[in-house]
Amino acid sequence: MAVDGAARPALPGATRFATFNASLNRAADGDLLADLSAPDDPQAAQIAEVIQRNRPDVVLLNEFDHVEGGAAVEAFQRNYLAVGRRGARGIEYPYAYTAPVNTGVPSGFDLNRDGEIGGPDDALGFGAFPGQYGMVVLSRHPIDLDAVRTFQHFRWRDMPGALLPDDVETPEPGDWYSPEALDVLPLSSKSHWDVPIRIGSQTVHFLVSHPTPPAFDGPERRNRLRNHDEIRFWADYVTPGRGDYAYDDEGGRGGLPAGARFVVAGDQNADPMDGDGEPGAIAQLLAAPTLIDPWPGSLGAIRASWEQGGANREHRGLSWFDTADFADEGPGNLRVDYVLPSRRLVPVGSGVFWPVPESALSRLNSASDHHLVWVDVLTGLG
């Protein structure tokens, strides 16, 4: 990384993959498209500059409200990414993928058991309207759209050994949700996508998701357990023989074939050592035998942890690896955003864009409560 925290240019022949929870979500349906349709939204301009200064070849944006037909994605590219910002060059992505997600989609059931049906907490994934907190993949390399697999509708109960939440007031296990609710409740709070990217003669599967935060629940732990199993899905999917149960939205079955090249990316909402997640949630993915953890980090995260104090002083994990700047009272700054290449790829660089306070680019730290994470890989080896 450069002194100011920005990523240096990738090595010749390397491909830069990135994930960025951009917090481009809005309170009402249509607000994001309205903001992006004009070129003067301050937050969108900052998000675009972060991307321009790090220049990923393939990037996942979490918390980008979904608009049917991709109009918001097109507006963001046209009015923000393509326009140079404060000395940073504009950047273009000829290829993009976005699709519906479960957030804000009414379930028809009282999932939080507050006595009423409706509202964000009773949706298939927490959200005020369908598509809130959606996802977008942008790529300089061709996306094989015909081969994309989505797992939006895979039911939680169909995962073998699913950690279904339990009503602690009854003797029956895993009975927080009724059988009727489990008939419609998906595993994914947003969606899980397998997006094949064509890089030269190779295909790299970009496996992206955004599990629910492991918080905002009660003793039944419905969000903590869902987060655990959403993460587990990719761990099974990339491990030969363990993902055979998976079925996609077109009826295709199984996980990745042995030897496939892939990169798992996204805000997993789970830290290896700290925070509120279910024990071992992210460890099950990091321990998958088919992938590598490049351990990206930043000096900015160290400085933020030390200067903000609070819960950060009690953390067991090293602040160098933090990717998100959360409330100092709790949970503090955490590593929750990941870019994890397969062992068929060769990582040659990685980092977290978190400029130190003295840097002129530290003004971009407020663009989102998350920071862009990038990993450079060589795809033609292995």
Side-chain angles (χ1 to χ4, degrees):
M1 290 177 290
V3 174
D4 60 8
R8 296 187 184 279
L11 292 175
T15 302
R16 177 163 294 165
F17 287 86
T19 188
F20 189 17
N21 183 326
S23 297
L24 284 171
N25 59 84
R26 298 296 185 261
D29 191 10
D31 283 359
L32 180 63
L33 179 57
D35 287 348
L36 298 181
S37 295
D40 55 359
D41 183 82
Q43 186 215 4
Q46 285 197 320
I47 295 297
E49 186 179 345
V50 170
I51 295 170
Q52 290 167 353
R53 293 196 178 278
N54 289 275
R55 310 197 75 76
D57 298 297
V58 184
V59 59
L60 166 68
L61 300 181
N62 285 134
E63 295 197 8
F64 189 108
D65 292 346
H66 177 70
V67 176
E68 198 67 36
V73 179
E74 294 173 3
F76 182 56
Q77 294 224 63
R78 179 180 64 254
N79 293 329
Y80 292 91
L81 289 177
V83 181
R85 303 275 167 186
R86 302 186 68 165
R89 292 181 292 118
I91 190 168
E92 295 184 3
Y93 291 97
Y95 309 96
Y97 180 79
T98 189
V101 292
N102 289 319
T103 41
V105 177
S107 71
F109 294 92
D110 183 12
L111 297 180
N112 64 354
R113 292 197 182 185
D114 67 350
E116 299 180 0
I117 296 176
D121 220 19
D122 287 336
L124 296 180
F126 182 88
F129 58 88
Q132 191 178 31
Y133 311 112
M135 309 191 297
V136 178
V137 171
L138 302 175
S139 178
R140 289 177 169 177
H141 300 281
I143 296 174
D144 187 352
L145 294 176
D146 292 335
V148 170
R149 299 181 74 188
T150 65
F151 297 88
Q152 181 188 4
H153 303 302
F154 176 84
R155 292 182 300 187
W156 189 358
R157 74 174 190 184
D158 291 339
M159 170 179 275
L163 299 183
L164 298 175
D166 180 54
D167 183 349
V168 298
E169 302 297 328
T170 67
E172 294 80 11
D175 63 343
W176 177 263
Y177 297 123
S178 68
E180 293 77 17
L182 290 174
D183 279 342
V184 302
L185 185 62
L187 169 66
S188 184
S189 55
K190 285 85 176 176
S191 194
H192 285 64
W193 299 340
D194 175 347
V195 182
I197 311 291
R198 293 291 302 173
I199 303 174
S201 62
Q202 306 291 342
T203 293
V204 177
H205 295 262
F206 200 37
L207 309 179
V208 301
S209 60
H210 183 193
T212 190
F216 314 114
D217 53 17
E220 84 290 343
R221 302 181 299 163
R222 67 186 190 277
N223 292 330
R224 286 181 59 175
L225 298 176
R226 191 178 190 182
N227 171 272
H228 176 282
D229 282 358
E230 287 194 71
I231 294 170
R232 179 193 152 190
F233 182 86
W234 282 142
D236 290 346
Y237 191 78
V238 302
T239 304
R242 278 178 40 187
D244 295 344
Y245 64 84
Y247 55 83
D248 61 41
D249 296 330
E250 299 298 322
R253 302 195 70 90
L256 280 182
R261 292 170 170 84
F262 64 84
V263 174
V264 179
D267 173 5
Q268 303 296 327
N269 271 315
D271 182 281
M273 302 185 71
D274 301 299
D276 300 322
E278 188 71 5
I282 194 62
Q284 61 190 333
L285 179 59
L286 297 178
T290 54
L291 62 74
I292 301 169
D293 184 358
W295 290 101
S298 70
L299 291 174
I302 294 178
R303 288 286 300 275
S305 176
W306 177 253
E307 294 174 6
Q308 293 167 5
N312 297 299
R313 300 291 174 87
E314 307 300 323
H315 283 178
R316 295 172 296 159
L318 296 177
S319 56
W320 165 265
F321 303 114
D322 289 344
T323 68
D325 192 345
F326 295 141
D328 303 329
E329 298 79 13
N333 304 341
L334 299 171
R335 183 190 186 194
V336 295
D337 305 272
Y338 298 84
V339 180
L340 303 169
S342 69
R343 292 187 177 274
R344 295 295 304 278
L345 303 174
V346 180
V348 292
S350 66
V352 177
F353 180 71
W354 196 325
V356 296
E358 295 79 12
S359 166
L361 297 184
S362 64
R363 59 186 168 76
L364 298 175
N365 286 339
S366 62
S368 169
D369 55 352
H370 294 252
H371 295 262
L372 182 144
V373 180
W374 57 270
V375 174
D376 293 345
V377 299
L378 299 176
T379 60
L381 304 176

